[in-house]
Structure formats: structure tokens, C-alpha cells
Amino acid sequence: MYRTHHCGALRQEDIGREIVLSGWVHSIRNLGSVSFIDLRDRYGITQLTFYKENPLKKQADELAREFVIQISGNVVERTSKNPKNLTGDIEVAVSKLQVLNPSLIPPFTIEDQSDGNEELRMRYRYLDIRRNPIKDKLLLRHKIALASRKYLFEIDFIEVETPMLIKSTPEGARDFVVPSRMHPGQFYALPQSPQSFKQLLMIGGIDRYFQIVKCFRDEDFRADRQPEFTQIDCEMSFVEQEDILKLFEGLIVHLFREIRGIQLPSSFPRISYEEAMQTYGSDKPERRFQMTFGMLNELVKNKGFSIFDAQELIIGIAVPGCAEYTRKQLDELTTWVKRPQIGAQTLVWVKYLPQGDFKSSVDKYFDQKDLKEWAHKLKAQAGDLLLILSGKVKETQKQLGELRLEMGRRLGLLDSEKFAPLWVVDFPLLERSENNEHYHALHHPFTAPQEKDRSLMKSTPEKVRAQAYDLVINGSEIGGGSIRIHQSELQEQLFSLLGFSKEKAYEQFGFMINAFQYGAPPHGGIAFGLDRLAAVLAAEESIRDFIAFPKNNSGRDLMIQSPSRLDTVQLEELGLQIKTAL
């Protein structure tokens, strides 16, 4: 028996008990007459004592951090208790000590606040996982998955696994592909989602499906995006959009209550995609603070100020209490919005001074009456700072959205203990492709149009709204889904708008089109990003530490050195040749 208890289990009521513990040496303190060792495992830390008369003291003093040891001993009361530790009332007088495995000196300290940089800790991720911050995040993720399963089981969902080796399709992000040895020149793809399979399960009569599933997208690298990620993937038959929103509000309320002890409202607010963009400049609005947009076109155009006169959209925000900003601070903000990541041409500012008058960067063009009208439009109060951007509609909305978030961060308005969930609905079904030849699906090509907009599919497809919805919490999209198309004729019509000939549509999606002809029920679903949901619940920005073995910002696993080259024999077996530069 390696252990009778774990290292976080012993309490005052265990005093006098003979026990066996196993774990890692966390720290050693040799005080001469007595040595103390903190023994650590996943559950906690227990203090071991070796007094000078103990023949094991010399052996204990030769141990080093991260040695794996087993001890036997008697639980005794500590004379100097540690209220910060759950086992702080006791210690173990050791009678037997065995080294199960020695350890090299770790490349960084295994402490909550480590001295290792991120790259080093990723290279030795198995050591990083021993630290409480990482271990606790993985435990939180586990609790979310377990609580989700229990909730879904209780309302008749069935967990079904779908294939990992599937067919590549041209929609969405790039696929990761897997060459087939048995079928030279042919490839599997790793799924970006189980979308088509969960719809086929609905046709198969599995009317409530879910799966906690790995998904893969070969996207351009971003700081907080992983090439492989996990979804809580769900699909239901005989449902409308309202049914899905209500049911999965229940899941989110349940998770916040079970995991964090936080009671969210039983019903979440909803706003349209159009309203989200016009009010917040984002389809995943951060609503823990106000600072909403006001449109100034009617008030500022044709006043002789060319920067405004020539633009499609002029919008602004009122930043509370910032009229005292210095010229240096305002110049820094101007530089910030002109960065390539934001891309604004310039920033116009107006100080609404406490005494009621105005000072601006455009005093040459606009008088006090004009500026007062701006302040009224932006719902500003005396003491506020007005920040105004102009340009093309979509670009300017996004730029001001980023500036709004930055001001929220600078003013400390992003309360980590406050959660503001909402549904964004009424997304456009289609967007024009870059070459303007055809459309592409804003979500995916199986999303159903809103019934009231179906008549627009032939005349003005860009005006058609989708039966699609995203769940946003604190500016993060944690889930999204839609009601699906379940009729072959409508699916073929959408494929045509997406630029597929009938032959090409059948080549890519014939199995789906055919399946719809065998009594496909009305159905819809949603998928939650488990990694993102865990980060939001923990009030963290990064998803990386909620993944046991993540990739870095370049999509590499520094620990196992992946991706890596294949040797020539493997490439020949797969019928592949890699061209190298001369």
C-alpha cells in the first residue's frame, strides 16, 4: 500500500493514527535539532517532522525538492499551527522513509508564483501541472464537464461519439488533413466540429445528443486561440430557437451556481447583431460597463471639417470622469488608435469641463453650441471626455469598440466578480465574398434562414437573417448555434447562393442532401467552448492554462517538439513528397 491517506486529508481528529503517505518533497527546512519536510500531492501538503534522535533524520536531510517518497508515521498535534493550510493542525512523526524515485533539480520552482517564464514552463509542462494555479484550472475544467454531463443526462440527452477522421469540406476555416496510406493520394480531415454527424443523428432519431468533443481548425495563429479545442456540443430535434435559448440558459445558470456559487438571472437579455455592432462595435459585447456608441453624422457633417465630411460614419463614446486628461494622455490615446492593430486614421476628442464649457481638438471648426449637441447625443455629463472616430461603417464600429474596451480596462470597469450574459441573435445569414462573385455563410451552410426572410433569398440574399444565436459573457463568445435547414430544396438553394453547382454540392455534401429526403425532423443545436467557458468562470483572460498540454502562440508544442518532420520512409508510405528549397 503506497498510502492510506492523501496529503490534504489529515485533520485534528486523526491525531494518534498510524498512516502512510506518498508524494513529492515540496520543501525541506533543517533547523539543526529538527527537520521539517512538506510532502505534496494533488490534494494538499502535510508537514513531516524528523527530530535529531530520529535515525531517519540524516536520510531526510539528504532529500531534495521533487523527490518522490513514501513515509509511515504517527499523526501528532502541531505546536505551531498553520491556519492557512487545511492540514495545519497536525504533522507526522515519521517512523519509516523510502525514496520511490529521486529527481533532478527542476528548471523552475514548483510554487504558486514560479520563477519560470512561460516558454520554459511550457517546455516542462508536466512540472508546471504540479503547481496549484495550473492544477486548480484543470480541476475547474473537470468540474464543468462533469456538471454539464449530469445536467444533460437528467434532461434525456444521450452522449454519442462521432468520427475523428472525416471528409474535408471547403466551408469554414482550413482543415487539418491526414493522408491515407491505404488510399494513396486521398486524405481524411480532422473535424472542425461534429456538425454534419450530429444532424445525421437527428435524422437517426437520437433527438437529444451531446458530446464533449475535440475539434480542430488550422487557423492563423492568435494569442488566445488553440489549433485544437474542446466543445460541449449539443443538438435537439423538434425545437425552435426559443426552446434552445431557454434550455441552455438553464445549463449556464446551473454551471455558475454549481461551480462558483454565483446565481445568474434565470433569463438572459437579447440583442440583435445589428444593435450589437451599432451600440458596442462588436458581436460579442462587453456589458459590464456602459459607454455605448452615439452616432454623430447628422450633427457633424457639412461643417467644413473634411475628416468628417468625407466619411461614411462618425461615432463616439463619452468616457466618464476623464475630462482632466492631459494633452500628453490624449496624444497617447491618438497613437493607440492609429496602431495597425486598430487602424483608425485619427481621433477627435472633446473635454466636457466641470464648469460646463468645452475644449476640443476641433475648436477651429465647431463652436460651443455644436460641442454641446455632441455631448447630449453621447449622453455625456460634465467632467466626461468625448472620443470620436470616423471612417467606413464596419471598420469604424470595430475600432471604436476596441477603444471602448481599452478605456474600460484603464478605468478599472471590468469587475472580475461581475458576470453579464446575453444572447446575440438575428445574425445575417450570408456575407458577400471578397471577390463579390458569391456569398459565404456567416455561421455555416446548414444554418436556416428566418421564416419571415425566406422570400428575400432570391431577391436580396444579403438582407436575410439567420436563425442563429451566440451566448456572450463578459465580452467572450462562449457558445453559438442555430436552427438547421432540414429540407433538401432549401439546402440546395443555399448551396447555390454559396457558389456551389448542383454537382459540386452533391460531391461535397451529397450524404447530407440525400439524408434530408428520408424524413429529417426540424432540429437545431448549440456548442459551447469548454476551454473558454472555464476561463470565463475563473475570471481569466487566457484559455491556455485550462488545457493540460496547450500549444504556444505559434501553434507549437514545445514539450514534445510538435509539429515535426516525418522521415523519408513514412513519407514514401503515404505517397507524399516534401519539396525543400535548394
mmCIF file of all heavy atoms in Angstrom, residues 96-97 122 131-132 136 162 184 207 251 309 321 410 424 442 478 485 513 529:
data_model
loop_
_atom_site.group_PDB
_atom_site.id
_atom_site.type_symbol
_atom_site.label_atom_id
_atom_site.label_comp_id
_atom_site.label_asym_id
_atom_site.label_seq_id
_atom_site.Cartn_x
_atom_site.Cartn_y
_atom_site.Cartn_z
ATOM 1 N N LYS A 96 9.205 5.630 9.141
ATOM 2 C CA LYS A 96 9.750 4.893 8.007
ATOM 3 C C LYS A 96 9.781 5.827 6.806
ATOM 4 O O LYS A 96 8.831 6.560 6.551
ATOM 5 C CB LYS A 96 8.885 3.662 7.703
ATOM 6 C CG LYS A 96 9.427 2.787 6.575
ATOM 7 C CD LYS A 96 8.523 1.576 6.355
ATOM 8 C CE LYS A 96 9.040 0.720 5.202
ATOM 9 N NZ LYS A 96 8.155 -0.446 4.939
ATOM 10 N N LEU A 97 10.875 5.783 6.068
ATOM 11 C CA LEU A 97 11.055 6.655 4.907
ATOM 12 C C LEU A 97 11.656 5.858 3.770
ATOM 13 O O LEU A 97 12.680 5.178 3.948
ATOM 14 C CB LEU A 97 11.966 7.834 5.257
ATOM 15 C CG LEU A 97 12.485 8.695 4.094
ATOM 16 C CD1 LEU A 97 11.352 9.374 3.361
ATOM 17 C CD2 LEU A 97 13.489 9.728 4.602
ATOM 18 N N MET A 122 6.172 25.818 -20.437
ATOM 19 C CA MET A 122 5.514 25.002 -21.454
ATOM 20 C C MET A 122 6.406 23.849 -21.897
ATOM 21 O O MET A 122 5.925 22.766 -22.224
ATOM 22 C CB MET A 122 5.116 25.861 -22.652
ATOM 23 C CG MET A 122 3.948 26.787 -22.372
ATOM 24 S SD MET A 122 3.295 27.569 -23.865
ATOM 25 C CE MET A 122 2.489 26.178 -24.660
ATOM 26 N N ARG A 131 1.988 22.699 -10.129
ATOM 27 C CA ARG A 131 1.707 23.952 -9.407
ATOM 28 C C ARG A 131 0.202 24.139 -9.228
ATOM 29 O O ARG A 131 -0.586 23.832 -10.115
ATOM 30 C CB ARG A 131 2.287 25.149 -10.168
ATOM 31 C CG ARG A 131 3.790 25.118 -10.336
ATOM 32 C CD ARG A 131 4.341 26.439 -10.842
ATOM 33 N NE ARG A 131 3.636 26.927 -12.015
ATOM 34 C CZ ARG A 131 2.925 28.055 -12.053
ATOM 35 N NH1 ARG A 131 2.819 28.822 -10.984
ATOM 36 N NH2 ARG A 131 2.328 28.437 -13.170
ATOM 37 N N ASN A 132 -0.185 24.692 -8.100
ATOM 38 C CA ASN A 132 -1.606 24.868 -7.805
ATOM 39 C C ASN A 132 -2.365 25.665 -8.863
ATOM 40 O O ASN A 132 -3.501 25.304 -9.203
ATOM 41 C CB ASN A 132 -1.786 25.521 -6.434
ATOM 42 C CG ASN A 132 -1.537 24.551 -5.299
ATOM 43 O OD1 ASN A 132 -1.795 23.351 -5.438
ATOM 44 N ND2 ASN A 132 -1.030 25.049 -4.186
ATOM 45 N N ASP A 136 -5.403 23.648 -10.339
ATOM 46 C CA ASP A 136 -6.745 24.113 -9.986
ATOM 47 C C ASP A 136 -7.567 24.451 -11.229
ATOM 48 O O ASP A 136 -8.785 24.255 -11.254
ATOM 49 C CB ASP A 136 -6.663 25.330 -9.066
ATOM 50 C CG ASP A 136 -6.138 24.983 -7.679
ATOM 51 O OD1 ASP A 136 -6.104 23.779 -7.346
ATOM 52 O OD2 ASP A 136 -5.744 25.908 -6.940
ATOM 53 N N THR A 162 -18.679 10.845 -32.270
ATOM 54 C CA THR A 162 -18.693 10.939 -33.727
ATOM 55 C C THR A 162 -17.258 10.815 -34.241
ATOM 56 O O THR A 162 -16.301 10.958 -33.482
ATOM 57 C CB THR A 162 -19.318 12.278 -34.170
ATOM 58 O OG1 THR A 162 -18.646 13.351 -33.500
ATOM 59 C CG2 THR A 162 -20.797 12.311 -33.819
ATOM 60 N N PRO A 184 -3.696 5.874 -51.463
ATOM 61 C CA PRO A 184 -2.709 6.901 -51.834
ATOM 62 C C PRO A 184 -3.359 8.078 -52.562
ATOM 63 O O PRO A 184 -4.233 7.900 -53.414
ATOM 64 C CB PRO A 184 -1.742 6.139 -52.755
ATOM 65 C CG PRO A 184 -1.891 4.707 -52.344
ATOM 66 C CD PRO A 184 -3.330 4.541 -51.953
ATOM 67 N N ASP A 207 -32.952 12.202 -30.592
ATOM 68 C CA ASP A 207 -33.488 13.560 -30.609
ATOM 69 C C ASP A 207 -32.810 14.507 -29.636
ATOM 70 O O ASP A 207 -33.033 15.724 -29.707
ATOM 71 C CB ASP A 207 -34.996 13.533 -30.361
ATOM 72 C CG ASP A 207 -35.343 13.074 -28.954
ATOM 73 O OD1 ASP A 207 -34.563 12.301 -28.368
ATOM 74 O OD2 ASP A 207 -36.407 13.493 -28.454
ATOM 75 N N LEU A 251 -28.602 25.556 -18.448
ATOM 76 C CA LEU A 251 -27.299 24.914 -18.255
ATOM 77 C C LEU A 251 -26.285 25.906 -17.697
ATOM 78 O O LEU A 251 -25.551 25.596 -16.747
ATOM 79 C CB LEU A 251 -26.792 24.334 -19.580
ATOM 80 C CG LEU A 251 -25.358 23.805 -19.564
ATOM 81 C CD1 LEU A 251 -25.198 22.654 -18.572
ATOM 82 C CD2 LEU A 251 -24.907 23.377 -20.957
ATOM 83 N N ASP A 309 -16.544 65.156 -43.171
ATOM 84 C CA ASP A 309 -17.388 65.289 -44.354
ATOM 85 C C ASP A 309 -17.214 64.131 -45.328
ATOM 86 O O ASP A 309 -18.168 63.733 -46.006
ATOM 87 C CB ASP A 309 -17.088 66.607 -45.071
ATOM 88 C CG ASP A 309 -17.555 67.819 -44.271
ATOM 89 O OD1 ASP A 309 -18.355 67.635 -43.329
ATOM 90 O OD2 ASP A 309 -17.106 68.942 -44.582
ATOM 91 N N GLY A 321 -15.672 60.879 -16.337
ATOM 92 C CA GLY A 321 -14.685 61.426 -15.420
ATOM 93 C C GLY A 321 -13.302 61.648 -15.975
ATOM 94 O O GLY A 321 -12.348 61.804 -15.215
ATOM 95 N N ARG A 410 -8.626 50.643 -18.644
ATOM 96 C CA ARG A 410 -7.849 51.697 -17.980
ATOM 97 C C ARG A 410 -8.582 52.264 -16.761
ATOM 98 O O ARG A 410 -7.956 52.671 -15.789
ATOM 99 C CB ARG A 410 -7.526 52.812 -18.965
ATOM 100 C CG ARG A 410 -6.609 52.384 -20.093
ATOM 101 C CD ARG A 410 -6.188 53.557 -20.958
ATOM 102 N NE ARG A 410 -5.360 53.122 -22.075
ATOM 103 C CZ ARG A 410 -4.585 53.918 -22.793
ATOM 104 N NH1 ARG A 410 -4.533 55.217 -22.512
ATOM 105 N NH2 ARG A 410 -3.862 53.438 -23.794
ATOM 106 N N VAL A 424 -26.812 37.175 -28.441
ATOM 107 C CA VAL A 424 -26.818 37.975 -29.664
ATOM 108 C C VAL A 424 -27.547 37.145 -30.717
ATOM 109 O O VAL A 424 -27.177 35.986 -30.972
ATOM 110 C CB VAL A 424 -25.392 38.321 -30.127
ATOM 111 C CG1 VAL A 424 -25.433 39.138 -31.421
ATOM 112 C CG2 VAL A 424 -24.653 39.090 -29.040
ATOM 113 N N LEU A 442 -22.222 33.102 -42.894
ATOM 114 C CA LEU A 442 -21.632 33.750 -41.723
ATOM 115 C C LEU A 442 -21.379 32.725 -40.626
ATOM 116 O O LEU A 442 -20.373 32.819 -39.913
ATOM 117 C CB LEU A 442 -22.557 34.853 -41.212
ATOM 118 C CG LEU A 442 -21.918 35.833 -40.216
ATOM 119 C CD1 LEU A 442 -20.861 36.685 -40.914
ATOM 120 C CD2 LEU A 442 -22.972 36.751 -39.600
ATOM 121 N N ILE A 478 -18.964 32.391 -25.665
ATOM 122 C CA ILE A 478 -18.730 31.077 -25.074
ATOM 123 C C ILE A 478 -19.546 29.983 -25.741
ATOM 124 O O ILE A 478 -19.328 28.796 -25.469
ATOM 125 C CB ILE A 478 -18.983 31.066 -23.558
ATOM 126 C CG1 ILE A 478 -20.455 31.329 -23.250
ATOM 127 C CG2 ILE A 478 -18.091 32.049 -22.843
ATOM 128 C CD1 ILE A 478 -20.816 30.974 -21.832
ATOM 129 N N ILE A 485 -31.186 23.867 -41.383
ATOM 130 C CA ILE A 485 -32.022 23.533 -42.537
ATOM 131 C C ILE A 485 -32.309 22.028 -42.485
ATOM 132 O O ILE A 485 -31.394 21.229 -42.243
ATOM 133 C CB ILE A 485 -31.301 23.895 -43.847
ATOM 134 C CG1 ILE A 485 -31.125 25.415 -43.955
ATOM 135 C CG2 ILE A 485 -32.050 23.347 -45.059
ATOM 136 C CD1 ILE A 485 -30.246 25.855 -45.102
ATOM 137 N N ILE A 513 -27.585 15.960 -48.236
ATOM 138 C CA ILE A 513 -28.754 16.259 -49.068
ATOM 139 C C ILE A 513 -29.633 15.017 -49.201
ATOM 140 O O ILE A 513 -30.870 15.089 -49.097
ATOM 141 C CB ILE A 513 -28.307 16.776 -50.451
ATOM 142 C CG1 ILE A 513 -27.515 18.079 -50.302
ATOM 143 C CG2 ILE A 513 -29.514 16.995 -51.363
ATOM 144 C CD1 ILE A 513 -26.833 18.542 -51.580
ATOM 145 N N GLY A 529 -17.691 26.462 -26.110
ATOM 146 C CA GLY A 529 -16.261 26.226 -25.995
ATOM 147 C C GLY A 529 -15.915 25.930 -24.541
ATOM 148 O O GLY A 529 -16.002 26.824 -23.688
#
